[in-house]
Amino acid sequence: MIVLGIDPGIATTGYGLIREAPDGRLTTLTYGTLLTSKTDVLPERLYSLRQQLMALVQEWRPTESAVETLFFASNLKTAMTVGEARGVVLVTLHESGIPIAEYTPLQVKQAITGYGQADKKQIQLTVQMLLSLDQLPRPDDAADALAIAITHLHAARYNRLSDKVEQTPPL
């Protein structure tokens, strides 16, 4: 299974692609950011995000995706543009036929570090350890996207195990 994790944003969208081997080992395929120009008008930025994401999907062919949900923001304008970028991400992934899971920042922090108030550095260190990376994943948006992908892989593994337990006949 190849999972594409996405941390949506209008200026910077983080992405991370992780492969889970049959033995459960995780391998980082690639990670980084999709950037839009601050000088472009919003429709151009959203279109650019869509084109970059489509190219990423076509190159790596993920089998599943995980996207961070929008968290409460004190700045309404920022929340609106992030929500619009998130919408572009969801539509693009859906159009590509990739199943989409969504996770809150709290779910990601708990799945990765076991602590819902973990800071960015704790997330980066844990992602580095879980993926056996030589250095901290940077920037933060990319590290968050890797964490989102790992969260989905953990959830999928749990669901597979739960399904096996439910299918086991009683003694």
Side-chain angles (χ1 to χ4, degrees), residues 147-170:
I148 294 161
I150 294 168
T151 298
H152 181 66
L153 286 165
H154 288 323
R157 186 178 300 153
Y158 175 80
N159 290 336
R160 285 193 305 267
L161 291 172
S162 293
D163 288 347
K164 284 182 185 179
V165 169
E166 287 176 14
Q167 294 173 7
T168 304

Side-chain angles (χ1 to χ4, degrees), residues 123-159:
I123 297 290
Q124 286 177 305
L125 286 168
T126 307
V127 166
Q128 179 185 18
M129 181 192 67
L130 290 171
L131 297 176
S132 302
L133 300 174
D134 292 335
Q135 50 190 290
L136 284 179
R138 294 186 194 276
D140 291 346
D141 303 291
D144 289 348
L146 288 169
I148 294 161
I150 294 168
T151 298
H152 181 66
L153 286 165
H154 288 323
R157 186 178 300 153
Y158 175 80
N159 290 336

Side-chain angles (χ1 to χ4, degrees), residues 97-111:
I98 302 168
I100 303 164
E102 299 177 76
Y103 300 95
T104 66
L106 178 64
Q107 288 173 312
V108 174
K109 289 175 182 183
Q110 287 177 329

Side-chain angles (χ1 to χ4, degrees), residues 5-6 17 24 29 45 68 75 95 128 151-152:
I6 299 283
L17 281 132
L29 300 175
R45 295 178 86 178
E68 189 171 73
N75 182 331
E95 238 179 11
Q128 179 185 18
T151 298
H152 181 66

Side-chain angles (χ1 to χ4, degrees), residues 5-107:
I6 299 283
D7 180 21
I10 190 62
T12 306
T13 291
Y15 68 86
L17 281 132
I18 299 175
R19 174 181 289 134
E20 181 183 36
D23 66 0
R25 282 183 297 129
L26 303 180
T27 304
T28 306
L29 300 175
T30 189
Y31 63 91
T33 54
L34 307 176
L35 305 174
T36 65
S37 174
K38 294 177 184 182
T39 60
D40 288 345
V41 295
L42 182 61
E44 290 173 354
R45 295 178 86 178
L46 295 172
Y47 182 75
S48 173
L49 174 59
R50 178 177 165 25
Q51 294 302 104
Q52 291 177 70
L53 182 56
M54 284 175 48
L56 191 65
V57 165
Q58 290 170 355
E59 178 180 355
W60 292 97
R61 307 256 186 241
T63 52
E64 296 188 21
S65 65
V67 180
E68 189 171 73
T69 61
L70 187 59
F71 61 94
F72 174 77
S74 58
N75 182 331
L76 184 59
K77 184 177 179 185
T78 300
M80 293 293 289
T81 57
V82 170
E84 290 168 329
R86 190 172 177 283
V88 166
V89 166
L90 294 174
V91 167
T92 303
L93 294 171
H94 178 75
E95 238 179 11
S96 300
I98 302 168
I100 303 164
E102 299 177 76
Y103 300 95
T104 66
L106 178 64
Q107 288 173 312

